[in-house]
Amino acid sequence: MHPAGGGAALGIGKASVRDAEVKGRRVLVRADLNVPLEDGKVADDTRIGASLPTLELLLEGGASVVLVSHLGRPKDRDPKLSMAPVAARLDELLDAEVKLAPAVVGDEVRSLAEKLEPGQVLLLENSRYEPGETGDDPELADALASLADLYVNDAFGAAHRAHASTHGVARRLPSCAGLLLEREVSELTKVRDHPEPPLVTVLGGAKVTDKIGVIERFLDRADEILIGGAMCFSFFKAEGRDTGDSLLDDASVEAAREVLPRAKRAKARLHLPEDLVLGRELSVNTEVQELNGVDVPEGWMGLDIGSNTAAKYGKLVAGGGTVLWNGPMGAFELAPFAFGTRAVAEAVAHASGHTVVGGGDSAAAMAEFGLADRVDWLSTGGGASLELLEGAELPGVEALNDA
Ligand code: ADP
Ligand code: MG
């Protein structure tokens, strides 16, 4: 799904794995293999698939690969979050032998790394088994660096974290960007800084406080900002409307209250829904009603945008030269509240402009509707893509050698 290897990525100002001399070298690759597990197996291998082009490029170029990723948030060394299922799936997908190391670092791991032959892969255990990972501990970074002669960061989804495996280690070895990371940064930077106008941004979902920064950044860059999902209730509350039992948090209402007056003077037109679909509770069998308006009565939750709003948003998306979508329009996992998200997904899929979709749940919605291959770029990194879009520097990218 991610032809990262084939795309003409714009330069991102960082050294690229495409230009690296790798024959006979041992390369430490940080990938984002943080996949969902079910019954001890990989439930969705999208992220593993997205990491393959860089691995294949290195292995075909005659390198041996030491591969590292985190998986979930293990307490101590919870064996349920071992990389074993990932190693098994990777071994099936890659035309190379994949061994699993018994730990992240240490003498035994080092000796396994030293024995690697060109074309072989050693997957380290879950980087978060090491307590020093999230604190960017220098000793852990040293130990990781001692395993290889070149470091490639392909973990875009973790690039907003300054961890030992994404940041500290990059300072200790010659380093460069992997194909996926390079393409992600290039695609998202282009939308942020050089979009083909008009730029239509569709924002929704539930993680409102994480996304307010993107709205602020795009107020003077986008032409249209379309708000849906639980996010719209932060704005409605800030406008003094009734939001009933809709999902809301105080911090995002405060932030929305600051955005509203700025939006009046901004380049972008900020659109809020004009109708809604309500439910009594977040469940598939709940009582449902359509509301021609946006004041939600007591005892009801707003769970989707209404059909007029969906039609209007669809038209605006169709007219975009560039379309950026992050965050579902409603609780789309439940059939009665999927209409608005489906309408936006269809509009994005059929839009003639350049289309970029970010956010784990929005990407899952595209996949569920069978439209994932109809967008120009489907970002694999949730938090990282938001931080890049709002203009923050990503420590995992910054730490790499310049081009
Ligand atoms: P993404 O992963 O695409 O960035 P988020 O994680 O911010 O999106 O939000 C996705 C979640 O938001 C989905 O699980 C969806 O059910 C939920 N959601 C969207 N709209 C509403 C709403 N009006 N009320 C409750 N939940 C909502
Ligand atoms: Mg999400």
Side-chain angles (χ1 to χ4, degrees), residues 269-330:
R269 289 194 296 168
L270 185 75
H271 303 265
L272 295 171
E274 56 199 51
D275 55 354
L276 297 168
V277 179
L278 312 181
R280 289 279 186 194
E281 54 180 28
L282 197 60
S283 110
V284 74
N285 296 316
T286 191
E287 193 185 340
V288 177
Q289 70 160 306
E290 288 198 43
L291 177 70
N292 189 14
V294 294
D295 283 297
V296 180
E298 277 306 307
W300 293 87
M301 305 173 78
L303 290 171
D304 195 8
I305 57 174
S307 52
N308 292 334
T309 306
K312 176 181 155 192
Y313 285 10
K315 269 197 201 127
L316 287 164
V317 165
T322 305
V323 180
L324 170 67
W325 177 32
N326 181 297
M329 295 292 100

